[in-house]
Amino acid sequence: QKEVEQNSGPLSVPEGAIASLNCTYSDRVSQSFFWYRQYSGKSPELIMSIYSNGDKEDGRFTAQLNKASQYVSLLIRDSQPSDSATYLCAVMRTGGGNKLTFGTGTQLKVEL
Amino acid sequence: DVKVTQSSRYLVKRTGEKVFLECVQDMDHENMFWYRQDPGLGLRLIYFSYDVKMKEKGDIPEGYSVSREKKERFSLILESASTNQTSMYLCASRSVGEAYNEQFFGPGTRLTVL
């Protein structure tokens, strides 16, 4: 079992729709969770972080965390073509030496 | 703005060559990391450093070494490059203290070993 699992996609959504990206993790002692966006040929950039159960909203982005189910998700409202990218889920374990473990990413395509 | 810079965007080397990849950050971050990214395998941690002259192996350290003589600079060394080390290499840095501190990435170096 991979430590951090994501569906590779591609996930295709029409412009203006809600995109829902999911991530599961295997280590129960994980404490911090991050969503990175990576455009083709570019390096990852952080868009959301979450460490408490529940929802965290930032503009069109909402991160959701359920530690009991070991599940973290990212919702993108009013999806735009510029949101088309690969979204990487990353997890930091307690006592993990500040190391992030990344999923392989989900490719999102927002279609006109 | 945090700046993480890498010495080259593209690099072509021959099998057996010694390769140096340099990374510099300007935000006085304690932690620095080297990853490689390959299609279908995602980002894999090669080595990381939590302070000057300190280093720890990541998940795939074989064939690599690192050097951190100054806080702002973290170098990745391929002692004898092989074709299976053709990849995108990403450096990152992060401040300690808070678990949710952002990890910043450099632009990446695409290395091709012929």
Side-chain angles (χ1 to χ4, degrees), chain A:
Chain A
Q1 183 186 8
K2 291 181 181 178
E3 288 187 59
V4 180
E5 293 212 50
Q6 297 180 256
N7 189 321
S8 62
L11 173 66
S12 293
V13 299
E15 184 179 7
I18 296 175
S20 178
L21 304 163
N22 304 314
C23 173
T24 58
Y25 60 95
S26 61
D27 194 332
R28 287 193 172 274
V29 298
S30 299
Q31 62 170 160
S32 305
F33 307 86
F34 304 83
W35 283 100
Y36 282 80
R37 178 177 61 200
Q38 186 174 25
Y39 291 114
S40 180
K42 303 292 187 182
S43 57
E45 56 178 334
L46 182 70
I47 53 172
M48 289 288 286
S49 60
I50 187 167
Y51 25 91
S52 300
N53 277 326
D55 294 0
K56 179 181 177 183
E57 187 174 319
D58 184 0
R60 295 186 297 112
F61 299 98
T62 299
Q64 299 175 317
L65 175 61
N66 184 326
K67 290 187 177 181
S69 300
Q70 295 175 236
Y71 176 94
V72 58
S73 64
L74 178 71
L75 301 178
I76 306 175
R77 289 181 299 282
D78 189 23
S79 295
Q80 302 296 310
S82 59
D83 295 325
S84 297
T86 296
Y87 289 81
L88 305 174
C89 173
V91 173
M92 182 181 295
R93 294 188 296 121
T94 304
N98 288 323
K99 292 183 292 182
L100 293 180
T101 300
F102 286 85
T104 53
T106 297
Q107 185 184 7
L108 173 66
K109 293 184 176 181
V110 181
E111 298 168 335
L112 295 170

Side-chain angles (χ1 to χ4, degrees), chain B residues 45-47 56-65 76-77 85:
Chain B
L45 182 64
I46 304 171
Y47 265 98
E56 282 200 26
K57 293 179 180 179
D59 301 318
I60 52 163
E62 297 79 17
Y64 303 94
S65 62
L76 180 70
I77 303 154
Q85 292 179 310

Side-chain angles (χ1 to χ4, degrees), chain B residues 83-95:
Chain B
T83 55
N84 63 11
Q85 292 179 310
T86 292
S87 186
M88 170 68 86
Y89 289 87
L90 289 159
C91 175
S93 74
R94 184 174 180 274
S95 179

